[in-house]
């Protein structure tokens, strides 16, 4: 039996309405010892926690239109993470195993079942463990299936990615470039725009916060129109895209991060373009495509090792920094995939 | 050479902004004789003219986001119609041939080319000529491909049709019933609601004008949710549908008739449901599917003769009644497909 640890956790204090703030979360130190798992369960030491757009969605009141259950006020927030098994009563998992999947925002997590965990296959100098919160985890598979399965891309097509510097966007742009598409991304700072072009190989990029008129900005970047839009943002960005889409264009709706902190979502006014341009718009979520994870993993690990794909993370250190880092995801403060490294200083 | 006729025409006076009114159209009697066609051209006597939602779209200022060219102010409006060839300088068309396709809103039309015309194959007591403006014309093929090609329907699925009494909606509902789906339609009068249920065989129907809350109305009609939505309306109806859709639902966007008279389209606020429910929404127009017309025609003529499908038209008599009839299409005054019969009293 492993040494029993005390714990530190992030709790949701109450359902969030409007802008997410630090007061909505509480950091709690537990002096009671961790229990040992029941039969079939695991005790995890969490190493990297992942902050994603969908975390905010789960902080709102329960709503049948959400894809995931809301968190329970007063309870520990859960999230994707990378963890090490430190005690196991499940036959397929052993002490020392590294796993990724859904865990708690806390130092140690007792899971009754490893249903949402995947054993980590590759780690080496070129494949940091934290990548399993991003490029090799949920955001990576989301980008891959969203682009290849939902967008039906063809070589030479023009692709627009909003929130292009996020955990998913930076990958969509690179997948599109590998396919021979013309790719433009948007982000919220000059620094990110430069990195999109110089580090990630986007053909062009713009700072949406500096554009007077998004419709004009897209027209400038896509004089021949947009064939594929990878939608991470929503609201007025979608309206501007719709009028710039080409006939038979495709829109993969991955998320609408501009909307998650709003009490009422912005109206989208240009849906008539769906008809006139015969656009296909399709929402999707990664869990529907988990059967594709093994082939995705092999391909992307190879891309990483060959230097064909790069990935940028924004890593903060320590659970105390996690609430502020999560808030930053919705203002675009993070530069790359937002990860929280914990439990490294014991 | 045929006797040269004088003509009566409907012209667009100027681009329309906001609600379409009679003052936007002018009826002109021409005392000058009709010319004989150039080589390759035809002279048509128009028998039935079709008023469709898209006619209003073409009355707005030219806009690159429209699917069809705007009419030219001061010129004759064109529309779908059924006509007889009265003079021909095209080898494939002969005097006396009956055709359907795009013609002018006038008694006689001189066409430089019959590119947009189809020769009429079937007419008999069970197949009125006017049906080629509706069930056997553009609206019919629109309903057929929209439902069968875009909605990917399966037996037993639940289907919602808005503007269900329109030229297209009444057919979508019947196609869906023939496939074994559960079908609910909405319309704007008690009379239409009763006919949807009793004449067209919809499982249920409601009067959207009498509902306080469309979301609640749809929840009542679809306690298990909507699998397929055939979208003819837009605006707040789409918002209400989105929250009632099932996971992996499909929305075929055929038109947004509630929006055509608006200077700014209503905002749609619930697009996040696209993600959470993995909805596919697809716009389409009938011209992309004209290769399917022959198989469609054979099938639907058989359905009509066997009494498996019925069709209801709202017929007005005379070109003078046409402007008022077109305006009625956007307030839902028409009961069934709006047709204008002309040239029958010479």
């Amino acid at each position: 039996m492993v040494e029993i640890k005390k714990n530190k956790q992030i709790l949701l204090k109450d359902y969030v309405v409007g802008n997410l703030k630090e007061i909505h979360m509480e950091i709690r130190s537990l002096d009671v010892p961790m229990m040992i798992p029941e039969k079939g369960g695991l005790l995890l030491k969490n190493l990297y926690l992942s902050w994603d757009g969908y975390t905010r969605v789960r902080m709102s009141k329960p709503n049948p239109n959400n894809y995931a259950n809301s968190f329970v006020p007063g309870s520990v927030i859960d999230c994707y993470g990378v963890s090490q098994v430190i005690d196991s009563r499940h036959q397929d998992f052993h002490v020392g195993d590294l796993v990724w999947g859904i865990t708690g925002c806390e130092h140690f997590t007792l899971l009754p079942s490893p249903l949402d965990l995947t054993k980590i296959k590759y780690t080496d100098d070129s494949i940091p463990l934290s990548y399993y919160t991003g490029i090799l985890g949920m955001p990576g598979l989301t980008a891959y299936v969203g682009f290849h399965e939902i967008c039906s891309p063809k070589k030479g097509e023009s692709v627009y990615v909003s929130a292009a510097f996020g955990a998913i966007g930076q990958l969509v742009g690179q997948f599109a470039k590998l396919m021979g598409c013309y790719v433009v991304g948007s982000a919220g700072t000059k620094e990110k725009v430069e990195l999109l072009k110089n580090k990630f190989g986007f053909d062009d990029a713009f700072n949406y916060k500096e554009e007077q008129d998004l419709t004009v900005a897209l027209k400038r970047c896509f004089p021949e129109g947009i064939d594929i839009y990878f939608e991470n943002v929503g609201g007025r960005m979608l309206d501007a895209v719709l009028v710039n889409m080409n006939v038979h264009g495709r829109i993969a709706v991955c998320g609408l991060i501009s909307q998650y902190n709003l009490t009422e979502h912005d109206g989208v006014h240009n849906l008539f373009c769906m008809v006139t341009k015969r656009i296909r718009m399709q929402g999707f979520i990664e869990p529907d495509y988990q059967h594709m994870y093994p082939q995705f993993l092999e391909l992307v690990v190879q891309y990483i090792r060959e230097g064909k794909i790069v990935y940028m993370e924004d890593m903060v250190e320590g659970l105390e920094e996690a609430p502020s880092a999560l808030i930053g995801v919705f203002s675009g403060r993070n530069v790359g995939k937002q990860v929280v490294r914990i439990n490294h200083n014991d």
Side-chain angles (χ1 to χ4, degrees), chain A residues 146-163:
Chain A
F147 184 65
H148 288 287
E149 299 292 307
I150 306 293
C151 293
S152 313
K154 291 189 282 289
K155 186 178 172 180
E157 287 194 315
S158 59
V159 177
Y160 173 51
V161 187
S162 58

Side-chain angles (χ1 to χ4, degrees), chain A residues 19-44:
Chain A
N19 285 323
L20 176 66
K21 298 179 185 140
E22 295 212 28
I23 55 160
H24 293 118
M25 292 169 271
E26 181 189 339
I27 298 180
R28 176 171 70 177
S29 291
L30 281 185
D31 288 330
V32 294
M34 290 299 290
M35 298 178 52
I36 56 169
E38 300 279 313
K39 189 158 187 285
L42 302 176
L43 182 59
L44 301 179

Side-chain angles (χ1 to χ4, degrees), chain A residues 121-140:
Chain A
K121 191 169 169 184
Y122 299 106
T123 63
D124 60 41
D125 285 351
S126 65
I127 313 285
L129 255 187
S130 56
Y131 273 19
Y132 290 88
T133 66
I135 182 169
L136 299 176
M138 178 276 282

Side-chain angles (χ1 to χ4, degrees), chain A residues 316-335:
Chain A
V316 299
E317 183 73 41
L319 205 72
E320 290 74 8
E321 300 302 319
S324 154
L326 178 58
I327 292 162
V329 167
F330 302 97
S331 62
R333 202 179 57 205
N334 55 311
V335 182

Side-chain angles (χ1 to χ4, degrees), chain A residues 31-76:
Chain A
D31 288 330
V32 294
M34 290 299 290
M35 298 178 52
I36 56 169
E38 300 279 313
K39 189 158 187 285
L42 302 176
L43 182 59
L44 301 179
K45 176 183 176 178
N46 298 315
L47 304 174
Y48 298 96
L49 303 178
S50 172
W51 281 145
D52 299 288
Y54 101 115
T55 312
R56 170 67 188 83
V57 176
R58 299 188 60 197
M59 291 176 154
S60 293
K61 269 208 182 112
N63 176 337
N65 292 311
N66 278 347
Y67 41 42
N69 293 333
S70 292
F71 300 130
V72 177
S75 301
V76 177

